Amino acid sequence: MESEGDSASHFDHSDLLILDYHLDGNQGSEKAINILRRLAGNSNFNLVVVYTQNRSEAGAGIENTINEIALSLACPATQLKLHQGKLTSLQKKMGAWEDIQDGIFDYLLGCVDQIAFLKVLERDDRSWNAISEMPELNDLARYLNSIPQGVNLNADQVIELLMHRRQSDFCQKMSQVPYGRVTTGSNNDINWIRTDSLFITVVSKQHDPNTIPERLLDALEAWDPVPHRLIMSKMRSELDQQGVMAETGVLMNRHLHAGWLEEILESDEAKRRTSVRLNVARHWESLGGKIESSVVDFAERVAAYLSHPDHRHMMMKRFDLLGAGQQREDVCLQLNSYACSKPIEGHHLTTGHILRIDRSSSSSEYWLCLTPACDLVPGQGNDKGWKKRLGSWLPFKAVRLYSADKTPALKNASRGSHLFLQIENKLNVFGFSENAEGRDVDGQPLRWEQLFAAGNGAFNGSNQLEVAYIVDEKGILSHKKYQGVVVAQLRYEYALNLLHRLGSHLSRVGLDFIPMKSDESSG
């Protein structure tokens, strides 16, 4: 007989599941937890109402159930696990505080209960400055703001030690499978728990079952998702509802699809992989076009509601868009990054790829590939001319990028003289010269070089490839090889714009006009 956890696969596409938390009777809630974990682990979004008895002796409140569920879906964070050397060092320093205040560590640990631990766990920034204002840690804050003199500990180190210990205490109750970030909210009798693909609210059996839909709606409103999540949900819903009909419409043109099919029947593997990627992109564009009108209509109604005078100011305040400052700068940086770049795609070097080339352990350079994409297909034209002589080395032109300051780059962003790129989860700004702040790329030459990629530019794993420079060694032209990795990618229209600028730069004609020299003796 299949277990309750296994049977959850039947609910992968359910819109709403009402789950009794005590499927084990009085023995516990392991079966219900297993079902929730199974649902959290699938790729479909599920709404769950956990219907349960009150747990407190007073007969009111379901906080323990909420905390148990949230903890069971949370995965231990590697950042909170201290390596043995650091752990021993911090414990020794804490011992000095214990000598002054006996039992202080146990008291501090008592300030970090399940609720506080979960709230800290869901944060990106876990520094003391970031969490010191959390109401769940008020008692802890009073002590960490007055660490005795002579104790060689700061507040951040104490937090590290406490969170390491608490994670060790709760580890057996936590999931060993990551379900995404677990966030929670609770206000009076309304609560919610959220993972990447699961939304849960816990409802007491003191409430009439007929009120469950209303309480679920209250919980969704308390969660208060961002407006664009509503639009994304509508897109997903339209794919579910209209997917089959939209698919039929996309596939009706037999001659068009015969041509597309011929492309993916290519015998050369490198060319075939490129064709398959283009095929998927074409079909996705066609499918999206079939459902676009209904999604746009829904988005317009959302926008009209939010832009109403009764709501607009509230939304601007919620996202801190009423003034200037760091929030506004961060918003502009992210908008520009999204506008000019996209996630890295492909299996070989192409137009718009940004390469980091490590010349040494302490020296890295960033280069933007600006050879037309048709000349970068592995195996394309390798049987003639220069490419035949180069064998498996793929020639490509690349433009050097230089780090630039964010603030002046934002002030002049519309000039097109900077790129805003997410590299290893950090937003970087680049210009096209070592002193690019505020200058238009049209008014300066791009620094470009002819580089060469090994293996016809195909990645050899994790977007890596070998790159060669041409150098002069004692009068002999030779090459130096370095390891490169593609760390970002421009959207095609941005890469094409820079490609045109590079072409203009390469085709410039030098005329023999003579500029008039300034009269250095005047003024």
Side-chain angles (χ1 to χ4, degrees):
M1 178 179 293
E2 72 178 347
S3 68
E4 281 79 359
D6 292 333
S7 69
S9 61
H10 301 323
F11 304 123
D12 279 355
H13 297 277
S14 67
D15 295 317
L16 173 62
L17 175 67
I18 300 175
L19 178 65
D20 191 321
Y21 193 59
H22 300 288
L23 294 174
D24 304 76
N26 296 325
Q27 303 302 313
S29 53
E30 183 178 352
K31 291 182 179 179
I33 291 295
N34 287 339
I35 289 176
L36 291 173
R37 285 175 172 170
R38 181 67 179 262
L39 292 173
N42 70 51
S43 59
N44 300 288
F45 186 74
N46 285 277
L47 295 173
V48 179
V49 175
V50 173
Y51 204 38
T52 182
Q53 296 285 356
N54 290 321
R55 303 283 296 280
S56 67
E57 294 180 1
I62 49 176
E63 292 79 6
N64 289 339
T65 300
I66 298 168
N67 295 335
E68 281 180 7
I69 293 173
L71 197 63
S72 70
L73 296 173
C75 187
T78 55
Q79 303 95 321
L80 299 182
K81 183 176 177 59
L82 298 176
H83 62 76
Q84 190 57 47
K86 187 171 186 179
L87 177 61
T88 301
S89 174
L90 292 181
Q91 287 174 334
K92 183 177 180 180
K93 293 177 180 180
M94 179 57 71
W97 194 352
E98 288 277 356
D99 291 340
I100 299 173
Q101 291 178 268
D102 186 37
I104 184 61
F105 182 73
D106 287 338
Y107 177 81
L108 297 177
L109 191 63
C111 295
V112 186
D113 57 12
Q114 276 191 4
I115 298 174
F117 173 76
L118 286 166
K119 288 298 182 183
V120 174
L121 190 66
E122 70 184 52
R123 299 184 67 93
D124 289 319
D125 185 352
R126 300 186 182 116
S127 68
W128 173 240
N129 288 336
I131 66 178
S132 59
E133 297 182 0
M134 289 173 52
E136 295 86 359
L137 292 176
N138 280 343
D139 291 341
L140 182 64
R142 285 195 289 271
Y143 275 85
L144 296 193
N145 283 324
S146 56
I147 297 175
Q149 290 186 350
V151 176
N152 189 24
L153 276 173
N154 59 43
D156 279 326
Q157 291 172 322
V158 178
I159 287 293
E160 284 185 286
L161 189 58
L162 293 173
M163 290 298 291
H164 170 89
R165 172 63 181 275
R166 270 299 179 232
Q167 182 161 273
S168 299
D169 294 340
F170 298 142
C171 190
Q172 293 301 317
K173 299 179 180 179
M174 301 175 74
S175 170
Q176 300 308 305
V177 178
Y179 300 124
R181 179 176 301 179
V182 178
T183 54
T184 62
S186 181
N187 184 16
N188 296 323
D189 202 21
I190 300 172
N191 62 81
W192 54 268
I193 304 165
R194 177 81 168 88
T195 69
D196 284 353
S197 61
L198 189 61
F199 181 89
I200 303 167
T201 186
V202 182
V203 176
S204 168
K205 289 185 178 179
Q206 287 186 337
H207 297 290
D208 190 291
N210 293 327
T211 66
I212 286 178
E214 178 184 347
R215 302 193 69 80
L216 175 61
L217 182 58
D218 289 341
L220 288 167
E221 290 181 351
W223 169 37
D224 194 19
V226 297
H228 287 93
R229 186 180 292 277
L230 299 177
I231 297 173
M232 292 290 286
S233 296
K234 179 64 173 179
M235 293 170 67
R236 187 175 63 248
S237 173
E238 289 298 319
L239 278 174
D240 286 341
Q241 293 182 21
Q242 301 187 42
V244 174
M245 297 304 297
E247 174 186 312
T248 301
V250 170
L251 299 175
M252 285 181 64
N253 191 328
R254 183 176 178 83
H255 292 95
L256 176 62
H257 285 275
W260 288 353
L261 177 63
E262 184 178 20
E263 292 177 353
I264 66 174
L265 298 179
E266 170 66 52
S267 59
D268 182 272
E269 181 182 1
K271 293 181 180 179
R272 183 171 65 250
R273 292 181 67 185
T274 300
S275 296
V276 167
R277 182 171 292 277
L278 288 173
N279 257 258
V280 172
R282 290 164 180 160
H283 284 81
W284 185 247
E285 179 183 1
S286 300
L287 186 61
K290 294 294 182 180
I291 67 169
E292 183 178 9
S293 60
S294 58
V295 175
V296 169
D297 177 68
F298 175 78
E300 286 179 345
R301 285 185 281 130
V302 171
Y305 176 84
L306 295 177
S307 60
H308 189 277
D310 293 342
H311 309 132
R312 185 177 185 278
H313 186 272
M314 177 268 291
M315 294 300 297
M316 295 287 286
K317 184 178 180 181
R318 174 183 171 187
F319 290 97
D320 197 16
L321 298 174
L322 295 174
Q326 187 62 47
Q327 168 73 357
R328 172 63 69 176
E329 181 174 291
D330 290 342
V331 168
C332 289
L333 286 170
Q334 293 296 334
L335 285 172
N336 287 326
S337 174
Y338 184 84
C340 75
S341 64
K342 64 179 182 178
I344 301 168
E345 60 183 31
H347 61 281
H348 64 85
L349 187 66
T350 192
T351 315
H353 276 162
I354 288 88
L355 282 159
R356 187 187 69 227
I357 301 175
D358 300 322
R359 295 264 196 160
S360 67
S361 59
S362 59
S363 176
S364 297
E365 297 176 354
Y366 291 89
W367 293 84
L368 166 61
C369 175
L370 284 184
T371 289
C374 57
D375 293 333
L376 294 171
V377 178
Q380 183 87 14
N382 283 13
D383 58 345
K384 52 189 175 183
W386 190 24
K387 286 190 175 183
K388 183 177 181 180
R389 297 196 302 272
L390 289 173
S392 63
W393 285 94
L394 177 73
F396 68 98
K397 290 180 176 63
V399 168
R400 177 76 185 272
L401 302 179
Y402 299 88
S403 294
D405 290 337
K406 296 178 181 178
T407 301
L410 284 175
K411 291 180 179 178
N412 299 281
S414 60
R415 297 183 180 181
S417 55
H418 295 91
L419 297 176
F420 304 83
L421 306 172
Q422 288 279 359
I423 298 176
E424 296 175 349
N425 297 319
K426 182 180 178 182
L427 203 149
N428 296 261
V429 180
F430 294 97
F432 299 95
S433 76
E434 292 184 86
N435 191 20
E437 289 80 1
R439 297 174 59 191
D440 193 335
V441 69
D442 284 332
Q444 58 184 304
L446 300 173
R447 178 189 164 183
W448 69 276
E449 284 194 27
Q450 181 70 62
L451 304 181
F452 301 84
N456 286 313
F459 299 152
N460 54 29
S462 301
N463 298 329
Q464 296 181 4
L465 68 167
E466 195 174 40
V467 179
Y469 292 78
I470 299 298
V471 295
D472 180 328
E473 288 188 336
K474 299 179 180 180
I476 299 175
L477 199 62
S478 61
H479 67 276
K480 288 280 189 181
K481 293 187 291 186
Y482 299 96
Q483 190 65 25
V485 58
V486 176
V487 294
Q489 181 171 350
L490 293 187
R491 293 187 185 276
Y492 188 69
E493 59 269 30
Y494 284 78
L496 193 62
N497 176 267
L498 290 169
L499 180 60
H500 288 162
R501 295 186 184 187
L502 178 62
S504 176
H505 169 69
L506 294 176
S507 63
R508 69 190 189 280
V509 178
L511 302 176
D512 292 330
F513 291 119
I514 299 175
M516 184 178 71
K517 296 181 179 179
S518 60
D519 187 352
E520 297 179 358
S521 63
S522 64

